[in-house]
Amino acid sequence: MKGTEAFRVIVPLLGDRPVVHANGYICRESFQVQDREANFYMIGSMGLASSIGLGVALGRPDRQVVVFDGDGNVLMAMGTLAMIAAAQPKNLVHVVFDNQVYESTGSQRSLSGEIPLDEVARSVGYRHTERVANEEELAAAFQRMLAEPGPSFLLVKVEPGFDPATGRVTHSPEEIRDRFMRALK
Ligand SMILES: Cc1ncc(C[n+]2csc(CCOP(=O)(O)OP(=O)(O)O)c2C)c(N)n1
Ligand SMILES: [Mg+2]
């Protein structure tokens, strides 16, 4: 399963949940599948989607919050896994699209082939962790995560294969902020 195929499975299951996206191709693929007001796209800073998602989840305990992350992003901010586990937000679902490379910047190899990120999440104290590698498993696992208390961590093993024809996020950072806040009202 390629990244785009994984987004096509997950996005229709999101309902109106806010989704905080890691930068790079994660944003672009999700934007291409379906742009949503409740999508926050991190345009620049790598590694911070999980911190922002944690903040939204703590600030809005009445909403279930989803983070779309990448393996390189998670490796860059591994301490945030501990922060999330310590805070135990029941309403946070952390999804990691793990292609084992930094695809957005030229497919340099990441360490996620050797370091199983789902086991790291389980070790630090995420309540529910799963790993999937095909579309059927993905749909079922994501629905379980939406139905059960978190913090949850879903490692989605995908093959690299970003289509360069995929567009870029066309909204300015201010627009992204304003529409996300509107969607959370
Ligand atoms: C602080 C910081 N360092 C580096 C970058 C450059 N950069 C943008 S996306 C990216 C790779 C992200 O890798 P991953 O999370 O695995 O996502 P993928 O591109 O594989 O989908 C890098 C290195 C950045 N934007 N910010
Ligand atoms: Mg990657």
Side-chain angles (χ1 to χ4, degrees):
M1 157 178 64
K2 297 224 170 98
T4 309
E5 289 156 352
F7 285 105
R8 283 203 207 104
V9 170
I10 286 193
V11 168
L13 303 173
L14 287 170
D16 65 353
R17 293 173 180 84
V19 183
V20 180
H21 292 66
N23 67 330
Y25 287 173
I26 304 282
C27 282
R28 289 174 62 180
E29 291 199 306
S30 179
F31 179 77
Q32 177 93 358
V33 170
Q34 191 194 340
D35 181 31
R36 305 163 65 251
E37 284 236 319
N39 280 357
F40 184 84
Y41 303 108
M42 173 45 80
I43 301 298
S45 301
M46 185 176 162
L48 293 181
S50 51
S51 304
I52 297 167
L54 172 61
V56 176
L58 293 176
R60 290 298 301 267
D62 57 316
R63 300 291 298 267
Q64 195 173 34
V65 178
V66 178
V67 174
F68 282 172
D69 223 339
D71 51 303
N73 271 268
V74 170
L75 285 160
M76 189 165 200
M78 234 179 189
T80 306
L81 299 181
M83 184 75 83
I84 289 169
Q88 285 290 305
K90 286 193 174 57
N91 56 332
L92 185 66
V93 179
H94 192 172
V95 181
V96 180
F97 299 91
D98 179 8
N99 54 12
Q100 300 188 186
V101 288
Y102 298 86
E103 195 170 11
S104 304
T105 48
S107 297
Q108 302 85 354
R109 185 177 67 88
S110 87
L111 295 176
S112 67
E114 290 123 283
I115 308 298
L117 297 176
D118 53 330
E119 288 183 26
V120 177
R122 185 177 312 129
S123 305
V124 294
Y126 274 65
R127 184 162 176 157
H128 180 177
T129 63
E130 293 198 47
R131 164 191 293 237
V132 296
N134 65 53
E135 281 132 293
E136 296 74 43
E137 289 172 353
L138 172 58
F142 188 61
Q143 277 163 324
R144 274 194 293 281
M145 302 226 154
L146 295 180
E148 289 168 24
S152 307
F153 188 95
L154 179 57
L155 190 68
V156 185
K157 294 300 272 191
V158 293
E159 296 143 26
F162 181 78
D163 177 356
T166 307
R168 288 180 183 276
V169 174
T170 47
H171 311 296
S172 69
E174 291 80 7
E175 282 163 359
I176 293 168
R177 176 198 60 203
D178 292 346
R179 65 210 285 270
F180 186 70
M181 287 173 72
R182 252 195 326 269
L184 271 169
K185 255 204 195 135

